[in-house]
Each structure stands twice: as C-alpha cells, then as structure tokens.
Amino acid sequence: MTLAIARRTAILLLSVLAASVVVFAFMAVLPGDPAQVALGVNATPELVERTRQEFGLDRPLLTQYLDWMGGVASGDFGTSYVTRETIGPQLLDRLGVTLWLVGSGMLVALLIAMPLGTIAAVRHRRPSGAAVSGFSQLGMAVPAFLAGIILVQAFAVQLGWLPSGGWTPPAHDPAAWLRGLVLPAVSLGLVQGAVLTRYVRTSVLDVMREDYLRTARAKGLRPYPALLRHGLRNAAVPVVTVLGLQLATLLVGAVVIERVFVLPGLGSMLLDAVAARDLLTVQSIVLVLVAGVLLVNFAVDLLYTVLDPRLRRS
Amino acid sequence: MSLLEVAGLGVGGAGTPLVEDVSFEIERGERVGLIGASGSGKSLTASALMGLLPEELDARGSARFDGAELIGASERSLSRRRGKDLAMVFQEPMSALNPAMRVGRQVAEAMLLHGTRDRRAARTASVELLDRVRLPEPERIARAYPHQLSGGQRQRVVLAIALANEPALLICDEPTTALDVTVQAQVLELILAGVRDRGTALLFITHDLAVVASVCERVLVLNEGRIVEAGPVRRVLTAPEHEYTRRLLAASEPEATR
Amino acid sequence: MTTAVRTRNTSLVVGAVLVGLVVVTALVSFAWTPHDPLLVDAAVRLRGPGGDYLLGTDKFGRDIASQLMVGARTTLYVGVVAVGIAAVVGTPLGILAGMSRNWLGELVMRVNDLVLAFPALLLAIMFGAVYGASTLTAMIAIGIATVPSFARIARSGTLQVMGTEYVLAARAAGRSRRWIAGRHVLPNISGLLLVQSSVSFAIAVLAEAALSFLGFGTRPPTPSWGRMLQESQELLAVEPRLALVPGAAIAIAVLGFNLLGDGLRDRFDPRLEARR
C-alpha cells in the first residue's frame, strides 16, 4: 500500500519534472529571444542586451532552467520581463479564483450527472431513460462558452437575477461572491455534466448486470436500495477515472469561461500574458496548469485504491 | 398443503418460451433435485421462483409458496420474502459477493433487512453463522473483503447469507460447479447439514447426477423447458422411464464411476 | 434486442445526416454563397433575417449565411488536419506499444501520459504565444493533444489482436512483426480507429471554436464559427441571433460527429455488442 503510494508519488514528481523541461524547452527554442519578444521589434539592440543581462537570459540554457526550476520549487516564479513584478504572488491569487471556478463547476456537473445517469441506466428500456440520454447527447454538443453567453443573456441581462461577470473575493462579501460564481459554475458544469451523465449511465448499467447485485436482491433488498448500497461504490470506480480526466478539461475550460465572465483567474492571466508577450509568465502559468492536471491524475489513482479494496494489495 | 406448489410455470421473452408448463411440488423439509443439460431452463425456473428474472423475461403460470402466489406478486411483497422465507445460493461464488464491502457486513445485512434491529446483535450472529459454515477464524473472515477469500470460502459465505434467516426453502443453483473437486464435497456436506438442522426444504439444481443421488430425495428432469420425468431419486436414476433421462444417465456414466 | 438495433441505426443515420449536412454546406460554399462572406457594407448593418439576407447580417453588414457556409470549411479543415495528425502519429505509436511489451512500449506510453497533461487549448495558447496564433497553430496543437487518445486505443486494440490464434499462427510461421502489424493488427483495429476519429473530430470542432473565440485560432477575416460567436458577444442583448446561429452550427457539427461515433462503435466494437 505505502509502496504503491511511493511509486505513484515518484511518477508524479518525474512527470512534473519532464513537463517543466518540455515547457522550458518550448519557450527556449522560439525564434528570437524572450527579451526581444518582450520589448518589441523597435527596441534598440543595447536595451535588449541590457534586459538580457538583467534577467540572466545570456547564460547557458541549462543554468537558466536550473535557476528557474530552483525558484519554482521554493515558490519563486521569477520576475516578469514585461511588468517587472514578481510572478508568484499574482499567480497564487489568480489560481484561487480558477480553483473556485473549477471546483464549483465540478460540483454542478456531479449534481447533474449522478442522478440523471442513474435514472438513465435504471430506466434504460423506458422513454424517460432514452430522454435523459438524448439530453446528455445534446448537452455535449454545446460549447461551454456558448452556454455561458446564453446564461448571461437570460439570467443577467433579461432577468437581472445575477451579475453578468466580475469577481468578488469570498472574504470580502460572501453573498456577492456566491452570486457571481453561480453563472460561471453552471456554464462550466452543464456541459461537463452532460458528458459525465453518459459515463455514469454506462457504469451503473454495468453494475446492474453484476452477480452481487442479484445476491443483494436475493437477500430481500429492493431494486433501488440494492443499487444504492451495493452498486454505487462499485460504479464509482470507472466514473472517478472520467472525473479525473474531466477535471483536467475543466481546468482548461475555465480559461474560456473566465474570459466570458471577466473573472481574474489563471486563464485570463495567461491570455493577458500572451497578449503582452510576457513569456516567463506564460511559461509559469502553463507549468502550474500542467502540474495541476498531473496532480489530479495522481489523486485519481489514489482514490481507486480507496474505492476498490481489490487494488489495495501489492 | 405443500410448501411450494408450482403449476403451469412458463418463462419467456419476446421470442419462443424458454420454460413451459412446469409443475411440481415441494413439501416442508423435502430435498428435491432439478436436473437437465445446460440450457434446459433450470436456472430460469429458479430465478422465476425468486422473482429475479432478467428484465427482458416474464414468468407465467402459478407458484404458490405457503399458499401465497409468487408469480406476478408485487416487488414489495416479494422482497419481504426473499432472503427470509426463500433464499438462494448461486453458481458463481467469485462474483456473487460485493467486492467493496466486508464479508461480515454482507452477512449481517441479510438479518438487518428482516427484523433484526440491533446492529451489534447482527454482527455477532454473522460471525456465528460464518463459524457454522465452518470457516476458519470467523472473526477475521468477517472483517475480510471477498477478494481475500478462496472460491470455496466465498461459497460458504454465500451459504451463510442464504441460511441467515432460517428460510423455509433454499434454492441452490449449481452451487458446486465452479468449485475445485476437493472443495465440492465439503460444500455439499454443509448445504445438506444446513437444511437438515433447520428443517429447510431444498431445491437443488445441477447437471451432476452423482450429486443429486447423494443430496436429494426426489428428482425432476427438465428438458428443453419441460419436465419430462419426476420421481424418487433411486427410482429415476436406476429405472428411468423417459428416453431423455436415459440419455442423460448414459452421458454421465463416466462421471458417476469416477 | 429490437430496441438496441433501432437506437444503433438511429445514431448512425442521424449522425451521418448531420455530418453530411456540414460537409455539403462546406462543398457548396466553394462554388456558391449567397453573398461575398467578406463583403463589408455599412448600409446593411445588422439586418434581420429574411429577404435578401437569409440569416441577416452582422455588425459589419456581412452576410451571416455566407459566413456560416465558409465557416463550415474552416471547421472541417481544422478537424481533418488535427485528426489526421493524431491518427498518423498516434496509431503507429500505439501499435508499437502494443506489440513490444518491453521498455520501448513502456516508454511510449509514459510519453503518451505526459502529452495527455497538455490539453489542446493550452498547447494552442503556447504555440500562439511563440509563433503567433493562426489556423495552423490551432490545428497542430489540437492534433498533438489528440495523439494520446489514438495511441491508447491503438494499443488496447493491438493487445487484443496479438492474443488471437491467427497472430499466434503467423508468429509460429516466422512472419515478421512488421508483416503482422500491417496484415493482421491494422485491419483489425481500423474499426476502433474510425470510431476514435469521429469522436476526436467532435472534440476538435469544439476546441477550434473555443480557440477562435479566444482569438487563438482562425485569424480575421477568414470566417470561423467560433470567431463569429466572439464577435457577437457585445451585441448579444440586441441581436442574440448573431450568437445563436454559429452556436447552433457548432452544436450540429459536434452532435453529428458524436452520434456518428456512437453508431460506428456499435457496429465495430464487438465487446459492446456482446454486452447489449
């Protein structure tokens, strides 16, 4: 058990390290050098050279990489070539917004998918089950940002119930924060919920055919209680895999939703940094997002062993 | 009045009927074998009695248990009987237990569903039950997950669940087919002891004639969904009247002499 | 059983019809569009649907129906190239990983997992940051990000085929690995790959739309559904049609490819069929 966790942790760390090399190399091989890109084509060669020296861009790539990673490991992401501000604190701040968005989006998706997927499975031979399947098929085809645009139109512009965008920190005004989070979270969660519904349906259907569910019925459990007590935990294993993959999609999907709702998250920071040609900031945000995806995969692997006792050995 | 009176039982779906016009009776405490080749409708007959047919199949006819009709009864009334008045042991011990739940809880659940209120009492009783199906270290087994047990051990657990509420009728569907030869005899012995101790009637489904001879008093021969012969075990196995029974006996000859 | 047959046919037929609709629209747009999709005409700004302009005009007075038709081209172009890259790179890698169950196969799958951590959108933004965003960077980014799905499906298919009797017989007969891969593995997993292509196509359409919406995909003035949506955002209160039309087009294309994939899966995936 502990050995498996240790092995998983090692894979996680190696993967993050490999990802950091990829991200760094990608930014390092770009045509022209980062100082030139940041300063623009009109900058004098002298200014470019001074900037290169200031940020250590004239050193060998390996030194630059080690320096960068050394900083990142201790939470120091360096100083932006463009704004000349330290990247770390802002990154952390923005990450908070994105995590709230992703977390609440996932919650909405689960609240949609768990009951609907189960109903679709249990009633798969009846019209209501087919209707749920059809709904999820349709929901999958709607881009999250379109859902966002439509929701804003309906609930913010027409009905005026909720704000159309913007962010209030939860510590500042919890009520305003919650109201501001509803539409982004629903836009993000609606589409993911539709995707997830299909997976929940499939795995509940699989579990319904299992012998142990028949044993549970033979004990005297009625169909729904049997499914709830004996089926859900087993059905959860494949769903959790998809959930993990979806969290990764949500993390990137949040980039788009942040743009629609003007939220100061990691995504809008990334897009702003790209627009400002602030490559070190881009590099740092990409690394954080990729590490986030890897971390989620790691968590999913651990969750398996909790859900399925058969995997606890070795 | 017999414990179970089956009359004109049929099972079918959209196509041709799979079981047709099956009629038999089981007295209290009686041990009856149901034999036939695979695909002859033995398991479907059992599932129909339990009310656990696959969704796409329906049962017709009549099956009266203790005077009450089972076929077409509501899910509510059936689920009250299942596990209490009539219980079942399945063919595949490897998949019959929930892999994500400790064995003890799965046994205790059977009792908690039918009247036992106290969780602690159910726990103690489940360890006792595991002991009665002669599982070694029942306390440890109760805390184990199914994957930590062997096939034979799991089948004992399933038997313990089935016998938990002292049912009036136990249905066993090929309970030893999936087990190692060495374990088969032990599990058979346990089933036999279990029903004898409790005065439970037994409907024993198998394709193995030697097993029927050692376990049952009476036997029903099923072929292509119909009962072709019925009678005391000794008579049917020594002087079969129906052609199909004779062929069944001939086919199992090497097995019987083994 | 009868219901299973019916739904299978419905998915396949409806999916094929929707995809066909998009393809035909794109093809027709080469020969004919109602108006020049790029023609800016301030005199006809924000015309409602009907009359000369079937779906009305946008804030520049461009014909929406014509833009929609040419936009179908962009969508299919991006999808074909992205899925093409993914299939051409991912399939051989997956077969390799499935056939060589040693360090090489392990390495391929580890790299695969790493690429999986770079979602299409993130890759496209990285590419855009370095090379400047264009349809090309979007296509390549989506393509690379889709490679792992193809490698995975090809690997699992290969593992199944490698366990069959006829492969065993071919190996016993001394056939080379390459011969087995080309003669037995590839033909047998082509159904799986076709399904994956359809599903990946749907994802690519969504990714392209999102990227164009963010300004990391197709550059103006080339019409693209995602950018039409982005341009419509400020006018949503007055003219929701501007968002709903391209939105519906995206949804139709995605729904079509997803349904087509479902229909094909029921046809080609024997495991699923057996479970029904």
Side-chain angles (χ1 to χ4, degrees), chain B residues 75-109:
Chain B
E75 178 59 39
R76 178 187 269 281
S77 66
L78 279 177
S79 61
R80 274 200 206 116
R81 284 199 183 280
R82 279 197 290 255
K84 184 164 176 273
D85 300 330
L86 63 171
M88 189 158 172
V89 172
F90 304 96
Q91 179 171 355
E92 263 306 328
M94 302 312 272
S95 54
L97 293 169
N98 182 349
M101 195 186 272
R102 289 180 203 277
V103 163
R105 270 192 65 194
Q106 300 194 45
V107 179
E109 187 182 36

Side-chain angles (χ1 to χ4, degrees), chain C:
Chain C
M1 209 51 206
T2 44
T3 47
V5 171
R6 207 177 306 136
T7 42
R8 174 189 315 169
N9 288 342
T10 331
S11 290
L12 198 62
V13 170
V14 175
V17 166
L18 293 180
V19 169
L21 188 70
V22 178
V23 172
V24 167
T25 309
L27 288 179
V28 170
S29 80
F30 281 105
W32 173 83
T33 53
H35 295 268
D36 178 352
L38 305 181
L39 184 71
V40 172
D41 185 352
V44 293
R45 286 181 71 227
L46 297 175
R47 280 278 174 89
D52 200 16
Y53 298 94
L54 187 62
L55 296 171
T57 62
D58 67 5
K59 59 182 172 183
F60 300 113
R62 292 177 299 195
D63 178 38
I64 291 181
S66 305
Q67 286 193 66
L68 205 65
M69 289 175 71
V70 181
R73 243 145 76 181
T74 313
T75 297
L76 291 178
Y77 179 45
V78 171
V80 166
V81 174
V83 172
I85 291 174
V88 167
V89 177
T91 307
L93 284 177
I95 294 178
L96 179 71
M99 288 184 77
S100 33
R101 307 188 63 182
N102 50 14
W103 63 270
L104 187 63
E106 182 70 15
L107 181 72
V108 168
M109 291 325 282
R110 283 271 161 258
V111 172
N112 211 43
D113 284 350
L114 187 62
V115 177
L116 211 55
F118 287 85
L121 219 64
L122 208 55
L123 271 181
I125 292 173
M126 278 168 76
F127 284 177
V130 173
Y131 299 104
S134 67
T135 312
L136 187 71
T137 56
M139 291 186 308
I140 294 176
I142 299 171
I144 293 176
T146 315
V147 167
S149 355
F150 273 89
R152 276 193 174 180
I153 207 88
R155 176 171 174 272
S156 67
T158 305
L159 285 177
Q160 272 188 357
V161 176
M162 291 304 282
T164 56
E165 306 260 316
Y166 53 83
V167 168
L168 214 61
R171 284 168 73 180
R175 296 289 192 180
S176 71
R177 276 134 104 32
R178 192 176 297 176
W179 189 91
I180 293 173
R183 201 54 182 273
H184 286 315
V185 176
L186 197 58
N188 276 296
I189 64 171
S190 58
L192 287 176
L193 294 174
L194 200 62
V195 172
Q196 185 59 42
S197 301
S198 196
V199 172
S200 294
F201 210 112
I203 297 171
V205 170
L206 278 175
E208 192 275 336
L211 283 171
S212 296
F213 178 78
L214 291 176
F216 281 89
T218 311
R219 317 258 1 138
T222 312
S224 142
W225 295 346
R227 232 200 33 263
M228 286 170 77
L229 259 173
Q230 186 222 337
E231 286 168 358
S232 74
Q233 213 188 342
E234 51 183 289
L235 290 166
L236 204 62
V238 227
E239 281 293 349
R241 162 183 57 95
L242 293 181
L244 292 179
V245 168
I250 294 168
I252 285 173
V254 175
L255 186 63
F257 281 107
N258 272 337
L259 286 176
L260 190 64
D262 277 2
L264 290 173
R265 181 177 293 131
D266 289 341
R267 270 235 161 135
F268 286 118
D269 197 333
R271 285 166 302 168
L272 272 178
E273 193 136 21
R275 269 184 4 201
R276 267 172 200 272

